[in-house]
Amino acid sequence: RELRGISSKLLNSVEVPQRRFRRFNTNQKVEIVSYKTDFKSKSRVENISMGGLCIEGACANLQVGDLLKIHFVLDKINADRVMHARVVWVTTGATEMAGVQFVREEDVYNDLLNAIG
């Protein structure tokens, strides 16, 4: 799947940046809520890294730059986690996917406050 994504970007003349973090494949369920719109979805994580994750599921209504709250229920270790993220890419078609980059909570609040003022 990664090779298809990289090949597609190369064929469409999109610059492929060097990855900073190793990806780990997973099948983790998540709940996603947008800070700026009424978007809410239960999806799954395709892969995760220290910098972000790839979501597969209802992603067509997401747009690059959207700020998200992502809620994980980690069954195997009996823990809940909430992460904040910014959408960096979205693909639609047979499979809807989105790539998100983790951001600090302070960055979310600064962005939301700047949008008001």
Side-chain angles (χ1 to χ4, degrees):
R1 181 174 271 179
E2 286 185 42
L3 186 55
R4 280 187 298 186
I6 292 170
S7 299
S8 173
K9 289 176 184 175
L10 288 172
L11 291 172
N12 292 316
S13 299
V14 174
E15 184 177 330
V16 180
Q18 179 67 33
R19 289 198 166 157
R20 293 177 42 201
F21 303 106
R22 182 175 174 211
R23 271 43 172 193
F24 296 94
N25 292 331
T26 184
N27 191 13
Q28 176 66 50
K29 294 179 184 176
V30 292
E31 183 176 315
I32 303 164
V33 178
S34 172
Y35 281 103
K36 293 184 176 182
T37 67
D38 61 354
F39 178 83
K40 187 175 186 178
S41 172
K42 291 190 179 190
S43 301
R44 72 174 195 85
V45 175
E46 174 76 17
N47 65 54
I48 189 168
S49 74
M50 292 292 292
L53 50 88
C54 175
I55 301 165
E56 183 176 344
C59 299
N61 292 329
L62 290 176
Q63 294 194 4
V64 171
D66 283 347
L67 293 170
L68 307 175
K69 177 168 48 170
I70 303 172
H71 180 238
F72 296 84
V73 177
L74 304 169
D75 297 331
K76 292 182 181 179
I77 60 172
N78 194 25
D80 287 346
R81 296 289 183 265
V82 173
M83 300 294 292
H84 309 283
R86 181 181 314 274
V87 177
V88 293
W89 58 265
V90 178
T91 61
T92 58
T95 303
E96 295 178 18
M97 299 179 86
V100 301
Q101 178 181 19
F102 296 133
V103 296
R104 297 178 310 156
E105 187 174 23
E106 298 83 33
D107 295 337
V108 172
Y109 292 124
N110 286 335
D111 192 54
L112 293 173
L113 290 172
N114 288 334
I116 293 171

